[in-house]
Amino acid sequence: MELTTRPATTAAVPAAARRRGTSGKLPFFAPPAMPDRELRRQGRRRMTVVAAISEEVPRLAAAAAPASRKAAPEKVAVRAVLTVRRKQKEDLKEAVAGHLDALWDMVGRNVVLELISTKIHPRTKKPMQSGRVSIKDWCQKRGAKGDHVVYTAEFMVDADFGEPGAITVANRHNREFFLESIVVEGGLPCGPVHFACNSWVQSTRELPTKRVFFSNKPYLPSDTPPGLRELREKELKDLRGDGTGVRKLSDRIYDYAMYNDLGNPDRGKEFIRPILGGEKIPYPRRCRTGRPPTDTNMLAESRVEKPHPIYVPRDEAFEELKQGAFSSGRLRAVLHTLIPSLIASISAETHNFQGFHHIDNLYKEGLRLKLGLHEHLFQKIPLVQKIQESSEGMLRYDTPSILSKDKFAWLRDDEFARQAVAGINPVNIERLQVFPPVSKLDPAIYGPPESSITETQIAGHLNGLTVQQAMDEAKLFIMDYHDAYLPFLDRINAIEGRKAYATRTIFFLTESGTLKPIAIELSLPGTKPGEPGPSRVLTPPCDATSNWLWMLAKAHVSSNDAGVHQLVNHWLRTHATMEPFILAAHRHMSAMHPIFKLLHPHMRYTLEINALARQSLINADGVIESCFTPGPVSGEISAAYYRDHWRGVAVEDATQPHGVRLLIEDYPYANDGLLLWSAIRSWVESYVELYYPDTQTVQCDTELQGWYHESVHVGHGDLRHAPWWPRLTTPADLASILTTLVWLASAQHAALNFGQYPLGGYVPNRPPLMRRLLPSPSPERGGDTAEYAAFLADPHRFFLNAMPGVLEATKFMAVVDTLSTHSPDEEYLGEGREEGWTGDEAAVAAHGMFAAGVRRAEEVIEGRNADHGRKNRCGAGVLPYELLAPSSPPGVTCRGVPNSISI
C-alpha cells in the first residue's frame, strides 16, 4: 500500500518563490483521474452573501461616533449576517416544531451569538468578546419562501476589538438548523469577515455547549492568533470525545472502532462473522458508535437495521438532496428485489433464466414479461399487481451501456481482454515475470506452488516467440486470483448454489496494442494438506464444445474478478482505507488548518456511505454476501488482501510526460488516470508550498503530525509497522501523501464505482457469482458423466443455469444501479468550491489553475475517445472510456469524478 508519488511537474501558480516537491513512486493501483466541469447542480443552489448587506450599518457606526473627529470612537456597530439553509420538505411534526420555535423565539428562547476577537484583552488576558446578542428577525421570517433565509444580529463592540476570528452560536430553539455561512461587517478596519459554517447547529437541549465557528482565514497551529488558541484546542477536544458512551445522532464525535458489527450472532450461528481488525485479522478502523454488545457475544456490537439510521457525526450525514436520491435508488432496489422474490416463492419455474431473451426482457418489458410469467400468477399475488400498477416506470431496468453499441461484443475474446484495462476493475492486470506462475501460499497446506500452465499449451499463441522472449519484451500479462480464492474455496463451494475456482488468466499483447487471452487456469484445493488439487487449463477454442467450455471459463474468471473488485479494490482500498484518515483529520486538524481546508471536499459523505455499507452491503447476509462469489467469507478475503501492496504495469521513465512509461500503451484507465494524477499533484504541491516553506515547518506542525501519526498508528494500527508507510518530514512528503489521498477519494473511486451498472449490469458479461463448475466426463477431475451429457445436449441451457438465477441477478442489478448513480448535489473534481472556503487569495488562485487543468484533461480524454488508433476505446461497437472524464449530469452516466467517496 504505497502512498508515494512520481516526479512532480512545475505547478502553474503565479507566485514568486514556489518550491516544488520531489519524487517517489506512483503505485499503479492508484493512477487515473478526471477533468474539471462547470456542472450545473440541480437543486443545490448556493446563495452568495455579499458584504454590503445594508447601508444602515455605516449609519449606525456614524451615529455611535463622538462629535470630535480626532478622538477614536469607543464603540462601533457591527452586523452579523447569517445564511440558513431550509429543508425543502417538512413533515407535519417538523412544521409544528418550526412554528413552536418561532413562538419560543418571541419570548426569548432564541438564537444567541457572540463574537470572539483574535486579540487578547490587555487587562484580563482573555480573548476579547462582544457580548451576547440575539437574532431579532427569526420569528418574522418563519414564512419566508426559498431555500435560504438570511438573518441578522447587531453588535456594539469596542473600537479596538480587532478582527473577529470566531463566533459562537447557541441555539435555544427546540430543533436544529443548518447554518451555511456568516458574514460579519461594519465599522471594523479589517473589513468583512467570512465564516464558512456548513454545519447543523443543535438545540442546547441536545448539546448544552455553544457551537464555535472560525473565520475562513487559514492558520497553522503556531500562527494561531492569541485570542483563538484556547478555542482551537477546545473544539478539537470536543470532537475527539472521551471514547465512552453510546453516540446520539446529534453528536459530533469522531472516534475509532473495529468492524465488530458485521455479524448478528443473536439471529443464529449462520450470521456470526469474525471481527475485522486486530492482530489476528488486520483491518482499518471505522467510526465508533458505542452501541452495546449483542446478547450472545460480548465482543460483537449490536446492530441497527434499516430503516433505522446508524450513527455518524451529524455533519457527515447525507444532505437532503443526496438523501432523496439515495432513498429513491433504494426504493427502486426494493421493488426490483421484492417482486422477483415473491414470485420465486410461488413459481419454481422462474428460478433460472430460460433463455438470453429473458435476460433481454429485463430491460425491454415490464415486470411480467421480463420474468416470462403468465397472467394467472399475478392473480395470486395482488400486492405485486398493485405495486406494478402504481410503479410501472420503476419496474424496468435501464439497458446497460455495455449492450448499447454491440449487443454481442461480450462474447469475443478481445472484449474480455479489453475490459481488463478499460472496464470496471482495470487495476488487477500485471506483467507476467515468472513462468509458470508461482503461488505464495504455504505449500505444506496448499500443495506445490507452480501453476499447471505449460509452454506447450500457449506456444501457438505467441506470434512465434518463446515464453521467455515474450516476457522479456513485456508481451505477457496476468490476472492472478489463485492465492486470493484458493484458501476459501472449500467453504465457498459448500454453499448451496455457489461454485468457484481460483483462477489465473494469461494475456498476450498483440502488435495492434490490444490484449488477447491465451490461457485460463481453474484450480481447486486438494483433499489433504500439501497435496495438489485439481487444476484445469483451457486455451482459446477450436471447436463447438471447447468454445462453450471456454465461455464458462471466462465467466468464472469474471466472477473471481467481480469479487476482488467489490471487496478489495472498491470497498477496502478506497472506502475503508480513507475512513481512518477522515476520522483523524477531524480529531486533530482544526477547521482553520490549511490542510484540513484542502482535504475537506474529499471527505464529504464518506463516513455516512460507509456506515450504510456496514448496515446493508457488507454485513452478514447483506447484498455483497448474497450476490458475489465469496459469500460469508467476503470479509476474510478483503482482510487477507489488506496486507498486500498495490501492483503495477508501469516503469519509471523520466522522458515521459508523467515520469512513467506504461507497458500497455493503450491502457485507458492508466492513460486518463495519469492526466488527473498529474493535475492533482500540481495543485497539491502548489498549495502545500503556500504554507510549508521548509522541513521545519512540517515537522513542527503539531496538528498535522498528530493527524498522520494517528491515521497510521490507530486508524491503520494493525499495519503500523509496515515498511511502506511514507514518512512525513518534508513538504515533498506531505504533498505526496495528500496527492494519494485526494486521488483515492476522487479518481480512483470513480473509476471503480460508476461503471458498475453500465458495464456490469448485463449478467452474462460479468456474472457476480457462478452456480456450476465446468462439466467434465472424467471422474478424476470431479466430473459427472450425466452432467457432461446434459451439457453436450444443451450447452446453452447449461451456461444459463451456471449463471446467477433470476432472483440473484435482479437483486444484484438493482443494487449496482443505485451504486452507479450520481446524486443531484454531487461536487466534482476541479469544480469551483463554495464561496469563502478560504480567505487566502493565493490558495483560491491555485485552485483556479487546478480547475483549468482538470478541464484540459477532460478535453484530452474526449480526443482520445475519438482516436481510432486507440482500439481499446474507439472502434466498431467499442465503448469510449469515460469513467475518468470529470464532469457528469446526475444519474447513471458511466462518467464523472466526484471529489469524494459519496456512494
Side-chain angles (χ1 to χ4, degrees), residues 495-536:
I495 302 169
E496 183 179 358
R498 200 75 59 101
K499 289 292 180 283
Y501 294 101
T503 69
R504 291 187 179 105
T505 307
I506 295 180
F507 300 90
F508 181 74
L509 183 64
T510 68
E511 294 299 321
S512 64
T514 60
L515 295 165
K516 66 176 183 180
I518 60 173
I520 295 174
E521 181 183 24
L522 306 175
S523 299
L524 294 170
T527 55
K528 295 181 181 178
E531 287 189 357
S535 181
R536 190 166 179 178

Side-chain angles (χ1 to χ4, degrees), residues 576-630:
T577 293
M578 282 297 298
E579 184 155 348
F581 288 96
I582 293 170
L583 292 170
H586 286 279
R587 288 167 55 86
H588 286 279
M589 287 196 288
S590 166
M592 289 187 282
H593 200 290
I595 300 305
F596 185 89
K597 291 180 180 292
L598 173 76
L599 288 175
H600 189 256
H602 305 290
M603 303 188 290
R604 184 177 186 235
Y605 292 154
T606 302
L607 297 186
E608 169 85 340
I609 197 64
N610 285 4
L612 291 171
R614 300 201 315 273
Q615 189 177 45
S616 303
L617 296 180
I618 63 170
N619 59 302
D621 201 34
V623 170
I624 301 301
E625 289 195 3
S626 301
C627 296
F628 289 85
T629 291

Side-chain angles (χ1 to χ4, degrees), residues 42 119 142 170 265 284 368 491 495 517 522 564 683 745 794 800:
Q42 298 180 359
K119 294 171 57 177
R142 166 62 190 159
R368 306 179 192 192
R491 293 160 66 188
I495 302 169
L522 306 175
V564 170
W683 148 240
D794 194 346
L800 286 174

Side-chain angles (χ1 to χ4, degrees), residues 66 134 163 177 207 220 237 251 276 293 322 449 453-454 486 523 530 554 594 652 699 740 817 828 850:
S134 301
E163 181 177 341
F177 63 86
L207 187 69
L220 294 178
K237 183 180 179 181
D251 285 347
L276 304 185
K322 176 73 172 181
I453 304 174
T454 66
L486 194 69
S523 299
K554 290 193 296 182
E652 293 198 33
Q699 295 178 352
T740 300
D817 180 54
Y828 294 92
F850 170 55

Side-chain angles (χ1 to χ4, degrees), residues 67 72 208-209 234 321 329 437 453 493 508 574 586 635 650 652 709 739 753 755 766 777 887:
T209 58
K234 182 181 183 303
L321 272 176
I453 304 174
N493 290 337
F508 181 74
T574 62
H586 286 279
E652 293 198 33
H709 182 272
T739 296
N753 184 75
R766 187 177 171 80
S887 65

Side-chain angles (χ1 to χ4, degrees), residues 523-580:
S523 299
L524 294 170
T527 55
K528 295 181 181 178
E531 287 189 357
S535 181
R536 190 166 179 178
V537 177
L538 295 95
T539 54
C542 56
D543 56 41
T545 300
S546 61
N547 183 71
W548 280 104
L549 292 173
W550 180 248
M551 284 178 60
L552 284 164
K554 290 193 296 182
H556 274 282
V557 171
S558 295
S559 175
N560 269 196
D561 186 69
V564 170
H565 161 259
Q566 198 66 266
L567 294 168
V568 178
N569 298 330
H570 181 203
W571 164 253
L572 170 66
R573 286 178 167 165
T574 62
H575 286 259
T577 293
M578 282 297 298
E579 184 155 348

Side-chain angles (χ1 to χ4, degrees), residues 177-257:
F177 63 86
F178 189 85
L179 181 58
E180 199 165 90
S181 65
I182 302 174
V183 179
V184 175
E185 57 178 8
L188 297 175
C190 61
V193 180
H194 294 259
F195 297 78
C197 306
N198 294 308
S199 179
W200 290 98
V201 180
Q202 300 298 321
S203 167
T204 50
R205 293 187 174 189
E206 290 283 347
L207 187 69
T209 58
K210 295 180 286 188
R211 286 295 309 278
V212 59
F213 297 99
F214 297 104
S215 77
N216 65 350
K217 284 194 174 181
Y219 295 106
L220 294 178
S222 58
D223 297 331
T224 308
L228 304 181
R229 289 173 188 166
E230 187 177 328
L231 273 179
R232 182 171 186 154
E233 293 174 4
K234 182 181 183 303
E235 174 74 355
L236 288 174
K237 183 180 179 181
D238 290 344
L239 291 171
R240 287 193 289 268
D242 61 6
T244 64
V246 179
R247 297 275 63 85
K248 299 181 298 182
L249 294 177
S250 57
D251 285 347
R252 298 171 58 246
I253 293 176
Y254 297 78
D255 204 354
Y256 303 95

